[in-house]
Amino acid sequence: MPPAGARKLAPEPSLRRLPVYLRLLTRLDAEGTRTVSCTAIGRELGLDFTQVRKDLSCTGIVGTPRVGYRVDELIAAIQRFLGWHRRTDALLVGAGNLGRALLAYEGFAQYALRIVAAFDIDPSLVGTEVAGRPVRHLDDLPDIAESSGALVGILTVPAGQAQSVTYTMVLSGIRAVWNFTGARLEVPRGVLVEDVDLGASLAVLTNRLEQASTC
Amino acid sequence: MPPAGARKLAPEPSLRRLPVYLRLLTRLDAEGTRTVSCTAIGRELGLDFTQVRKDLSCTGIVGTPRVGYRVDELIAAIQRFLGWHRRTDALLVGAGNLGRALLAYEGFAQYALRIVAAFDIDPSLVGTEVAGRPVRHLDDLPDIAESSGALVGILTVPAGQAQSVTYTMVLSGIRAVWNFTGARLEVPRGVLVEDVDLGASLAVLTNRLEQASTC
DNA sequence: TAGATTGTTAATCGATTAACAATC
DNA sequence: TAGATTGTTAATCGATTAACAATC
């Protein structure tokens, strides 16, 4: 038996669904709904209700038979479990098109993610501001990483520079890399990498489209 | 037994890895490497070689025992299988920060994806150009969808408008929606949806970070 | 030839789905 | 109370990994 209070290790697919629940719950909360059942959530989102229950149980939430879960408690439990109950500070490297779009994106607030500064090596970008955040030279990253205590690095550089920038980040105390470059990153044990690979996503779309049109 | 020439239905995880192989193969090709084995690919990418072989076999590629695969054939087979051997035209709706970043992103060329026009309802955006592509009013979408024959719709509007814009797209002949909004979309049977959910990705990152720091 | 590699079939592993007792 | 729902345990399903014969 695991010790009392032991955190459950959530499967990645469950983790990825939690923000979907959170969005629905926030809407329900705004509409004044006080309690909700897995059945109702599943119906709304097109998911199996028993999968919803298993996903939610990861967060440690306890419900009431015949009633369901309190919406406010559920929101708090998911946010707590995802670490979205307190602010996460991030540094962004690569102030090109995608990097600037992420800097300007207001939606990160709902994930309690704050990009404190951006970095680049392009002289025409260094010294500018994007959405109120300074673009500094990459050489300043170690100092600002230390002074800000940021643990997350957002990587939006060209794929060819991804690995070398990752080394710089890790040496500066970054513990988790959110990788938008499509490159495979090597990191020391204990450092996390999460890939957002547009090519992988598009591959699913265009393959299925191809299959559909040639069958 | 399936009929000769029958396409294999590729599992989604395999499809998502194919672009990773393609990137490596393109580099090898540029370096002058003529043949490659699953063992070598797996070593390079940190993947099980038997998984690599299974993934590649989806594309219909045939290798030579003791030698491996021809790099140029493999590249062609993957591109063909993903539908990246010929251009895919797309319309983008939502010319905000993310939409404009995708319009300006040159990397889509490697996926043979071309965004032919963008759409918005903001009068200050309509009539402008982003990276050489016009931003038109959403009302013009049906006409341009028909004249361009575009089958892919890229959705970068606020989540609240996602469903209604999706209806417009589908009614205009769009067969596949690349959804960056985080909303769950309802579509008729036969229409494809592929989600890029930044919240889901970030959830994995911040949960693991939280677990690591409190254990 | 010997041995590395392909192609395929079987075993394992993990996530999803189903079953069911407990409970308000 | 009756019945809907939770929480948990078992069964199913699909993807990954392992095993092995065929082959150049």
Side-chain angles (χ1 to χ4, degrees):
Chain A
M1 213 215 300
R7 255 164 295 277
K8 285 175 205 163
L9 225 283
E12 189 170 314
S14 295
L15 283 176
R16 298 184 68 90
R17 282 186 293 267
L18 287 175
V20 179
Y21 301 138
L22 194 54
R23 236 168 263 135
L24 172 62
L25 292 165
T26 305
R27 205 192 76 207
L28 291 176
D29 191 51
E31 292 169 1
T33 307
R34 304 292 302 276
T35 63
V36 69
S37 70
C38 293
T39 322
I41 294 174
R43 189 180 342 105
E44 193 71 24
L45 298 174
L47 298 173
D48 189 286
F49 70 91
T50 186
Q51 179 172 74
V52 175
R53 187 172 308 126
K54 194 148 266 187
D55 290 343
L56 298 183
S57 75
C58 294
T59 68
I61 189 75
V62 174
T64 310
R66 152 94 224 195
V67 176
Y69 304 91
R70 286 191 47 165
V71 173
D72 56 355
E73 279 183 8
L74 199 40
I75 289 174
I78 294 175
Q79 289 180 330
R80 178 89 190 64
F81 188 64
L82 297 179
W84 294 0
H85 60 305
R86 60 168 173 227
R87 206 179 61 207
T88 301
D89 283 339
L91 305 180
L92 181 147
V93 182
N97 288 309
L98 182 58
R100 286 202 305 274
L102 296 182
L103 276 167
Y105 181 53
E106 294 97 354
F108 286 147
Q110 77 188 101
Y111 316 131
L113 182 75
R114 187 179 71 158
I115 305 174
V116 297
F119 299 87
D120 210 298
I121 52 169
D122 182 339
S124 72
L125 292 172
V126 172
T128 64
E129 271 201 2
V130 178
R133 263 73 47 87
V135 179
R136 311 284 300 260
H137 194 278
L138 184 56
D139 293 343
D140 297 336
L141 191 143
D143 281 352
I144 297 183
E146 196 189 3
S147 64
S148 69
L151 297 179
V152 172
I154 304 176
L155 197 59
T156 50
V157 299
Q161 293 159 44
Q163 185 62 63
S164 108
V165 171
T166 300
Y167 284 135
T168 304
M169 284 180 168
V170 169
L171 289 173
S172 305
I174 292 294
R175 302 284 303 280
V177 179
W178 204 12
N179 174 29
F180 287 79
T181 69
R184 308 276 294 188
L185 300 180
E186 261 182 59
V187 290
R189 251 183 70 80
V191 174
L192 302 163
V193 174
E194 172 67 18
D195 298 312
V196 177
D197 188 341
L198 292 186
S201 178
L202 190 62
V204 178
L205 196 77
T206 52
N207 168 264
R208 304 288 194 219
L209 199 57
E210 188 80 1
Q211 301 284 314
S213 66
T214 51
C215 272
Chain B
M1 214 214 302
R7 254 166 295 278
K8 287 175 202 162
L9 223 284
E12 190 172 314
S14 294
L15 283 175
R16 299 185 67 91
R17 281 187 294 266
L18 287 176
V20 179
Y21 301 138
L22 194 54
R23 236 168 264 136
L24 171 62
L25 292 165
T26 305
R27 204 193 77 205
L28 291 176
D29 190 52
E31 291 169 1
T33 307
R34 304 292 301 276
T35 63
V36 69
S37 70
C38 293
T39 322
I41 295 176
R43 187 179 344 104
E44 194 71 23
L45 298 174
L47 298 172
D48 189 285
F49 70 92
T50 187
Q51 179 171 74
V52 174
R53 186 171 308 126
K54 193 148 266 185
D55 290 343
L56 298 183
S57 75
C58 294
T59 68
I61 188 76
V62 174
T64 311
R66 153 94 222 194
V67 176
Y69 305 91
R70 285 192 46 165
V71 173
D72 56 355
E73 279 184 7
L74 198 40
I75 289 174
I78 294 176
Q79 289 181 330
R80 177 89 191 63
F81 187 64
L82 297 180
W84 294 1
H85 59 306
R86 63 170 170 226
R87 206 181 60 209
T88 301
D89 283 338
L91 304 180
L92 181 146
V93 183
N97 288 310
L98 182 57
R100 286 202 305 275
L102 295 182
L103 276 167
Y105 180 53
E106 293 98 356
F108 287 146
Q110 76 187 103
Y111 315 132
L113 183 75
R114 186 178 71 160
I115 304 174
V116 296
F119 299 87
D120 210 298
I121 52 170
D122 182 339
S124 71
L125 293 173
V126 173
T128 64
E129 270 200 3
V130 178
R133 264 70 52 84
V135 179
R136 311 282 300 258
H137 194 277
L138 184 58
D139 293 343
D140 297 336
L141 190 144
D143 281 353
I144 297 183
E146 196 189 4
S147 64
S148 69
L151 297 179
V152 171
I154 304 177
L155 197 60
T156 49
V157 300
Q161 293 159 45
Q163 185 61 63
S164 107
V165 171
T166 299
Y167 284 135
T168 304
M169 283 180 168
V170 170
L171 289 172
S172 305
I174 292 294
R175 302 283 304 281
V177 180
W178 204 11
N179 174 30
F180 287 79
T181 69
R184 308 278 292 190
L185 300 180
E186 260 182 60
V187 290
R189 249 182 72 80
V191 174
L192 302 163
V193 175
E194 172 67 19
D195 298 311
V196 177
D197 187 341
L198 292 187
S201 178
L202 191 61
V204 178
L205 197 76
T206 53
N207 168 264
R208 305 287 194 219
L209 199 57
E210 189 79 4
Q211 302 282 316
S213 66
T214 51
C215 271

